[in-house]
Amino acid sequence: MTDQYAVIGNPITQSKSPLIHSMFAQACRQDLEYTRIEGHDFAVDVDAFRARGGRGLHITAPFKLAAFAYATEHSERAKLAGAVNAMRFDGEHVVAENFDGVGLVRDVVHNLSCPLKGKRVLVMGAGGAARGALLPFLAESPALLVIANRHLDKAQELAHIANSQPGSSVLVKSATYAELEGQAFDIVFNATSASLKAELPPVSAGVFAHCALAYELAYGKGLTPFLRLANNAGVKKLADGVGMLAEQAAEAFDWWRGMRPDTAAVIAKITVPLV
Ligand code: ATR
């Protein structure tokens, strides 16, 4: 019987995951079917999918927290993120993972050839997206990681979590946007949800003074206000989250199927030009 996988969310018609995974399955000669589930009652919907023989799920908004509660085992990354973007079903066991952060780092370091090691890194936003990237960022040993947020307490909480990680020597600081005045960074990430509303976080162009890469975690929105600001400030390399999407999908595929597909063809297929 063909193995069943799916992505669950609401709304879900926009999801690129079925396309991505059908391309991976074809390239890796894996017999699997990957569909969309419009979720309503998460536990009921997932129970039904498992009863139909479902092997694994991707989870998208608004169910990443519900998935955390549903799972019986959580990876360290999922625990730290407090959110789940992939699940694997092994009999009664429901194993939860979060590949968003590793996917992001893989895109930056491998696809975009921008190592984080020794760099001054700015992350704007302290919500779920920033939280998910925290451990994978620390693993790359940047010289400095600054988390900026409108509500400083959320950035402080993430900085505190990061600074409490055993074995990490990365200096992690929190800041308001006003406090970034006069500071410049090598790599700047927009992990806020501002671009989904075509808004710009209140950051000044000075943060890009020595910037080699401006990365927008949202994808498919073209030149967002953040990327436009970076472009006008002379940042040479601009990227959106399309590579992150493909890389987190490849991590999940590997976790489910035991082989990591190449992402280049998928990235080429789903990229929306920035300009
Ligand atoms: P996600 O899961 O996408 O990270 P989230 O957890 O709701 O979503 O977090 C949204 C993040 O975007 C928050 O850091 C939020 O900042 P506040 O905590 O200060 O509200 C940030 N955000 C949203 N709109 C923003 C805007 N226009 N400017 C700056 N930050 C914004």
Side-chain angles (χ1 to χ4, degrees):
M1 195 177 104
T2 302
D3 290 337
Q4 301 290 316
Y5 297 86
V7 56
I8 182 167
N10 194 341
I12 198 60
T13 47
Q14 80 293 347
S15 175
K16 300 257 184 280
S17 293
L19 169 66
I20 294 171
H21 284 275
S22 70
M23 288 178 73
F24 285 167
Q26 206 170 11
C28 295
R29 299 175 188 278
Q30 292 287 295
D31 182 23
L32 62 85
E33 190 181 22
Y34 190 110
T35 53
R36 292 181 177 85
I37 299 175
E38 185 183 271
H40 296 282
D41 182 325
F42 184 79
V44 171
D45 296 334
V46 177
D47 285 349
F49 178 65
R50 290 170 70 192
R52 294 197 298 273
R55 303 279 303 270
L57 276 178
H58 263 117
I59 296 95
T60 189
F63 296 122
K64 290 189 175 188
L65 298 180
F68 192 91
Y70 184 92
T72 59
E73 290 162 43
H74 305 81
S75 72
E76 280 308 309
R77 288 187 292 239
K79 276 189 211 160
L80 183 67
V84 166
N85 95 318
M87 294 198 302
R88 190 170 70 190
F89 307 121
D90 293 330
E92 291 302 299
H93 296 274
V94 178
V95 191
E97 257 292 4
N98 190 320
F99 293 119
D100 286 335
V102 277
L104 170 61
V105 165
R106 167 101 183 170
D107 189 37
V108 170
V109 174
H110 186 82
N111 299 339
L112 300 169
S113 306
C114 267
L116 299 179
K117 191 171 173 55
K119 299 286 170 50
R120 292 168 56 86
V121 175
L122 171 62
V123 176
M124 304 193 301
R131 190 179 270 263
L134 212 52
L135 273 190
F137 276 171
L138 293 184
E140 296 300 310
S141 303
L144 171 69
L145 179 60
V146 175
I147 303 165
N149 202 44
R150 293 182 303 193
H151 295 89
L152 183 61
D153 55 335
K154 285 164 74 178
Q156 283 170 330
E157 187 195 338
L158 289 199
H160 175 71
I161 294 170
N163 286 320
S164 315
Q165 290 304 306
S168 170
S169 56
V170 180
L171 178 61
V172 184
K173 294 182 177 173
S174 55
T176 60
Y177 288 99
E179 286 167 348
L180 296 178
E181 210 58 50
Q183 298 189 52
F185 296 88
D186 301 315
I187 306 180
V188 179
F189 293 94
N190 183 12
T192 73
S193 52
S195 303
L196 304 179
K197 302 166 274 181
E199 291 173 4
L200 178 67
V203 68
S204 66
V207 298
F208 298 115
H210 310 298
C211 185
L213 169 67
Y215 195 109
E216 171 77 73
L217 270 67
Y219 65 88
K221 304 258 170 241
L223 207 58
T224 62
F226 163 75
L227 290 176
R228 195 170 304 123
L229 185 73
N231 195 30
N232 292 343
V235 178
K236 295 251 162 13
K237 216 177 256 188
L238 307 176
D240 74 0
V242 80
M244 172 185 178
L245 176 71
E247 294 299 337
Q248 68 73 30
E251 293 289 328
F253 192 94
D254 188 3
W255 188 52
W256 289 329
R257 309 299 299 183
M259 60 180 76
R260 198 182 197 288
D262 185 57
T263 52
V266 159
I267 292 174
K269 177 95 178 167
I270 64 179
T271 291
V272 174
L274 291 180
V275 272

